[in-house]
């Protein structure tokens, strides 16, 4: 037995050479990972969330802070990075197998008794199987990235809408406060006139009712602004209400110029579904490749003792044979399940293609509707800015002159001033609606 061990150690170079022979090819492919984007907002997700300032000064600053602090976006980012890593789990070759056998009863041969055997085996899959598996993981990674992009776009749209709403609320507050001031002044004057029996009680009560309604409208707007701060605080993920001065006064500058265009084929919702189509095709190729047998190769190294005759070793005996094995793994069984997997892959591809077509149609429809509503808002804005408001201001000036000349009463003059403010409320509402549609169009274009 000692001599057998000595022979095994002395001939270990044969085993080492055999390992190098079988494992000389690379086990892992060197294909680069998919990295669809390197935007700054993605890089920021690698860092800790940004601290919340006491006040934001611009929409861009608010978006940057919100994207950095949003947990849903970070979860999508982690899912994408995880799917990127799974691409590296597909190796070109599976692990080899190493076995050792010991002959309980040595097998006598012309070279001597064989006492042990060392076997090394390697399965070499068909290249199309590896390629299909790698493509499947690659397109899954793309889908994860496009899901991340979709959440990013949705957050930008939501934050932009809240920013515009804040400006709209502040503009409403300013105009309604001016209407309340006019109504109170008128109420005070009419109260004096009522005491002198110059006007009817009905006229005084109507103005009092108007004041009460305007004050209630102002409280409603304050409640609306509180709800806005709650929504924004949820996006920023803070446990306390946003301070009143977190958003600057007059946040929104209403813009009338915007870029025209259409839904981009690079929209992440479309790109994600396109990657799904490609994934189903890769799965189908993998199912079809299951019919192809894998190649199996191996080495058997048999330890042989020297042959002994009359207590003397026979010269030339005791050689350790090295056997090269080759074969294939025959896919003889489970043909029905393999066929079913191919069929299932075909149906999955049809489903993914139908979803892509439906999503493309929906995005185009939403874009056309938003564009039409924006055009409607722009017509209304131009109508009020170019015609209705100038005419109302003309009437206000005329009523002012008549009031000064005492040919008109204070009630008529105040109502003319109130009418101008009412038209301004309608105008800022149309401007607010237009900005919401601009944010929607930007989202639909994938920007």
């Amino acid at each position: 037995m000692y001599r057998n061990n000595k022979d095994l150690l002395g001939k270990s170079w044969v085993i080492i050479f055999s390992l190098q022979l079988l494992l000389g090819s690379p086990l892992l492919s060197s294909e680069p990972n998919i990295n669809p984007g390197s935007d700054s907002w993605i890089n920021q997700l690698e860092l800790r969330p940004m601290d919340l300032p006491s006040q934001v000064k611009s929409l861009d600053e608010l978006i940057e802070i919100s994207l950095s602090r949003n947990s849903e976006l970070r979860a999508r980012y982690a899912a994408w990075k995880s799917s990127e890593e799974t691409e590296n789990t597909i190796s070109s070759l599976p692990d080899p197998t190493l076995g050792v056998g010991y002959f309980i009863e040595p097998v006598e041969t012309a070279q001597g008794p064989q006492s042990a055997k060392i076997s090394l085996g390697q399965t070499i899959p068909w290249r199309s199987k590896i390629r299909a598996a790698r493509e499947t993981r690659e397109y899954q990674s793309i889908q994860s990235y496009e899901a991340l992009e979709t959440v990013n776009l949705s957050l930008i749209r939501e934050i932009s809408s809240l920013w515009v709403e804040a400006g709209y609320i502040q503009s409403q507050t300013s105009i309604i406060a001016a209407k309340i001031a006019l109504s109170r002044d008128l109420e005070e004057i009419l109260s004096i006139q009522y005491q002198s029996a110059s006007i009817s009680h009905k006229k005084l009560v109507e103005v009092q009712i108007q004041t009460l309604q305007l004050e209630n409208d102002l409280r409603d707007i304050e409640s609306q602004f509180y709800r806005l701060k709650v929504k924004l605080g949820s996006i920023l993920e803070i446990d306390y209400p946003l301070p009143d001065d977190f958003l600057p006064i007059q946040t929104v500058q209403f813009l009338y110029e915007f870029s025209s265009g259409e839904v981009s084929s690079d929209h992440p919702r479309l790109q994600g579904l396109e990657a799904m189509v490609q994934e189903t095709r890769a799965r189908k190729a993998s199912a079809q490749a299951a019919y192809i047998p894998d190649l199996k190769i191996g080495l058997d190294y048999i330890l042989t003792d020297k042959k002994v005759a009359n207590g003397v070793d026979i010269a030339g005996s005791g050689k350790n044979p090295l056997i090269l094995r080759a074969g294939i793994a025959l896919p003889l069984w489970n043909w029905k399940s393999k066929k079913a997997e191919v069929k299932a892959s075909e149906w999955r591809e049809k489903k993914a293609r139908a979803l892509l077509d439906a999503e493309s149609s929906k995005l185009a429809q939403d874009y056309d509707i938003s564009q039409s509503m924006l055009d409607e808002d722009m017509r209304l804005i131009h109508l009020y800015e170019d015609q209705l408001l100038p005419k109302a201001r003309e009437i206000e000036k005329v009523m002012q002159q008549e009031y000064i000349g005492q040919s008109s009463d204070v009630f008529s003059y105040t109502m003319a001033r109130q009418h101008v403010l009412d038209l301004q409320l309608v105008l800022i509402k149309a401007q607010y609606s237009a900005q919401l549609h601009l944010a929607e169009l930007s989202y639909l274009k994938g920007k």
Side-chain angles (χ1 to χ4, degrees):
M1 181 60 67
Y2 172 77
R3 185 163 53 88
N4 290 343
N5 293 337
K6 184 177 180 181
D7 288 342
L8 177 61
L9 292 173
K11 298 177 181 179
S12 61
W13 64 270
V14 178
I15 300 176
I16 297 173
F17 175 77
S18 302
L19 286 169
Q20 292 177 340
L21 177 66
L22 285 177
L23 307 182
S25 59
L27 295 179
L28 295 175
S29 68
S30 59
E31 292 184 7
N33 288 340
I34 298 173
N35 189 3
S38 57
D39 296 324
S40 59
W41 67 269
I42 293 181
N43 297 333
Q44 181 62 38
L45 295 176
E46 292 277 5
L47 310 175
R48 63 180 294 274
M50 297 176 64
D51 294 330
L52 196 67
S54 58
Q55 185 185 61
V56 293
K57 306 230 176 343
S58 66
L59 174 59
D60 290 340
E61 181 185 1
L62 179 59
I63 289 175
E64 182 181 7
I65 295 172
S66 300
L67 296 183
S68 168
R69 298 174 62 89
N70 189 265
S71 294
E72 182 182 3
L73 197 65
R74 288 183 172 271
R76 292 288 184 181
Y77 177 76
W80 169 50
K81 299 301 287 185
S82 174
S83 64
E84 269 198 329
E85 292 300 327
T86 59
E87 293 182 51
N88 296 326
T89 62
I90 306 299
S91 60
S92 298
L93 294 175
D95 290 332
T97 58
L98 179 65
V100 177
Y102 179 75
F103 295 95
I104 298 176
E105 290 292 336
V107 178
E108 290 291 341
T109 65
Q111 288 294 321
Q114 296 178 345
S115 58
K117 179 177 72 171
I118 299 175
S119 299
L120 184 65
Q122 175 68 62
T123 299
I124 303 178
W126 197 256
R127 285 188 60 84
S128 61
K129 294 182 179 181
I130 303 300
R131 183 171 60 251
R134 188 171 290 120
E135 287 180 353
T136 299
R137 298 294 176 86
E138 177 184 339
Y139 289 118
Q140 287 175 346
S141 175
I142 293 177
Q143 290 177 70
S144 295
Y145 175 78
E146 299 302 340
L148 170 66
E149 281 278 17
T150 300
V151 172
N152 174 61
L153 279 178
S154 298
L155 276 173
I156 292 176
R157 175 182 58 180
E158 185 176 2
I159 296 165
S160 300
S161 298
L162 291 174
W163 179 270
V164 173
E165 184 181 355
Y168 173 55
I169 290 174
Q170 291 170 355
S171 299
Q172 271 187 310
T173 301
S174 177
I175 295 175
I176 291 180
K179 285 173 63 67
I180 290 175
L182 287 175
S183 186
R184 285 174 177 170
D185 290 344
L186 179 61
E187 182 182 340
E188 184 177 348
I189 295 173
L190 293 182
S191 178
I192 297 173
Q193 292 180 349
Y194 173 71
Q195 293 174 5
S196 62
S198 300
I199 61 168
S200 64
H201 180 262
K202 177 178 178 293
K203 198 169 189 177
L204 174 61
V205 172
E206 287 177 348
V207 175
Q208 290 174 339
I209 291 173
Q210 176 183 266
T211 303
L212 292 172
Q213 289 176 333
L214 288 171
E215 289 173 344
N216 183 70
D217 290 343
L218 188 58
R219 286 192 292 271
D220 288 345
I221 292 174
E222 291 172 352
S223 298
Q224 184 180 351
F225 191 65
Y226 173 77
R227 292 192 293 272
L228 182 146
K229 292 190 295 181
V230 170
K231 293 178 184 177
L232 193 55
S234 176
I235 294 176
L236 293 170
E237 299 189 359
I238 59 175
D239 299 329
Y240 53 88
L242 282 174
D244 292 335
D245 59 348
F246 180 75
L247 297 174
I249 299 175
Q250 296 298 330
T251 317
V252 176
Q253 297 294 327
F254 292 106
L255 304 176
Y256 303 138
E257 295 182 1
F258 56 94
S259 59
S260 59
E262 59 184 9
V263 177
S264 172
S265 59
D266 293 332
H267 195 287
R269 283 163 59 178
L270 297 180
Q271 287 295 303
L273 288 171
E274 179 62 38
M276 182 187 292
V277 172
Q278 298 300 328
E279 180 198 350
T280 58
R281 290 177 179 173
R283 287 181 178 273
K284 179 181 176 182
S286 179
Q288 292 171 335
Y291 290 104
I292 305 174
D294 293 332
L295 176 64
K296 291 181 176 291
I297 61 174
L299 289 174
D300 291 334
Y301 183 67
I302 300 176
L303 301 179
T304 305
D305 297 332
K306 287 185 175 295
K307 193 170 184 179
V308 179
N310 299 322
V312 179
D313 292 344
I314 298 176
S317 65
K319 293 182 179 179
N320 298 324
L322 183 65
I323 303 173
L324 176 65
R325 292 182 286 105
I328 58 174
L330 295 176
L332 295 179
W333 319 122
N334 302 318
W335 279 72
K336 185 176 180 180
S337 64
K338 292 181 175 64
K339 182 179 180 181
E341 181 60 29
V342 172
K343 285 291 185 183
S345 299
E346 292 174 350
W347 284 112
R348 283 194 292 264
E349 181 181 352
K350 291 179 180 178
K351 173 188 173 182
R353 175 58 64 182
L355 289 174
L356 176 59
D357 293 341
E359 189 70 9
S360 179
S361 177
K362 185 178 185 305
L363 285 175
Q365 172 187 295
D366 291 345
Y367 186 90
D368 291 340
I369 291 175
S370 294
Q371 184 66 63
S372 175
M373 296 177 74
L374 175 61
D375 293 341
E376 183 178 323
D377 289 335
M378 296 305 297
R379 286 195 301 270
L380 188 61
I381 290 170
H382 289 307
L383 174 63
Y384 275 78
E385 284 186 335
D386 300 338
Q387 299 184 46
L388 299 185
L389 267 172
K391 291 182 182 300
R393 290 191 177 102
E394 288 180 10
I395 295 175
E396 179 187 356
K397 290 181 181 179
V398 171
M399 296 303 297
Q400 181 183 25
Q401 295 299 323
E402 291 182 356
Y403 175 67
I404 293 173
Q406 297 184 348
S407 59
S408 178
D409 57 10
V410 67
F411 181 84
S412 300
Y413 175 46
T414 302
M415 289 300 104
R417 297 174 67 186
Q418 292 269 25
H419 184 59
V420 172
L421 295 175
D422 289 336
L423 294 179
Q424 288 179 344
L425 282 174
V426 177
L427 174 61
I428 64 169
K429 184 177 181 180
Q431 292 171 328
Y432 167 59
S433 178
Q435 289 287 20
L436 290 181
H437 293 314
L438 284 174
E440 181 70 13
L441 289 171
S442 180
Y443 166 80
L444 293 171
K445 286 190 287 188
K447 297 182 178 180

